[in-house]
Amino acid sequence: MLKGFREFIMRGNVVELAIAVAIGGAFAALVKAVLDSLVSPIINAIGASGGKAGIGVYLRSHNDATFINISAIINAIIIFLATAAAIYFLIVVPLNKINAIRARRIAQGEPDPDPKPDDVALLEEIRDLLKAQTPNRP
């Protein structure tokens, strides 16, 4: 049961999907909360003028409906970059290291702890035989 779960988790597509949906959403909420509490007040203090707080431009003088809030755009960019960095360094880098260690062990001749299923191995063998029969094909 645990072996099947480990095989399921180690599939590339499943891991990427889990990162994108579950962890990405959680990190986005966490990073947004931290940045809204720390960065937004600093950005808003820099450009506070008139009725709106923050850096921005009125297209029509002091008409709130025409205010372009540049500080909100800067905040969104920072949230995106911080979320992407957190996901990369906390999920992608460790997973790549695990895969590199596994590939190195296999290259050194150690048995693969997760051997390929028989049907996949058979299909790869058929593919290799077909390539050997037609050497002109890439």
Side-chain angles (χ1 to χ4, degrees), residues 5-77:
F5 180 71
R6 188 175 75 185
E7 289 174 7
F8 173 74
I9 292 298
M10 292 305 290
R11 288 186 199 158
N13 294 339
V14 173
V15 172
E16 292 169 9
L17 182 62
I19 290 170
V21 174
I23 297 174
F27 273 130
L30 175 66
V31 170
K32 183 176 181 347
V34 170
L35 291 177
D36 283 346
S37 299
L38 296 175
V39 177
S40 290
I42 295 169
I43 293 172
N44 290 339
I46 293 171
S49 62
K52 281 282 194 181
I55 302 170
V57 177
Y58 285 102
L59 297 177
R60 292 192 176 177
S61 71
H62 300 293
N63 183 352
D64 287 346
T66 65
F67 185 75
I68 298 174
N69 192 349
I70 297 172
S71 63
I73 295 169
I74 293 170
N75 195 38
I77 291 169

Side-chain angles (χ1 to χ4, degrees), residues 10 93-103:
M10 292 305 290
V93 169
L95 188 61
N96 286 343
K97 284 186 181 185
I98 290 170
N99 288 336
I101 290 169
R102 183 174 177 220

Side-chain angles (χ1 to χ4, degrees), residues 100-121:
I101 290 169
R102 183 174 177 220
R104 193 176 331 119
R105 286 181 179 168
I106 292 171
Q108 291 175 350
E110 293 182 27
D112 186 4
D114 298 323
K116 295 178 185 172
D118 292 337
D119 56 345
V120 173

Side-chain angles (χ1 to χ4, degrees), residues 78 100 122:
I78 293 171
L122 181 61

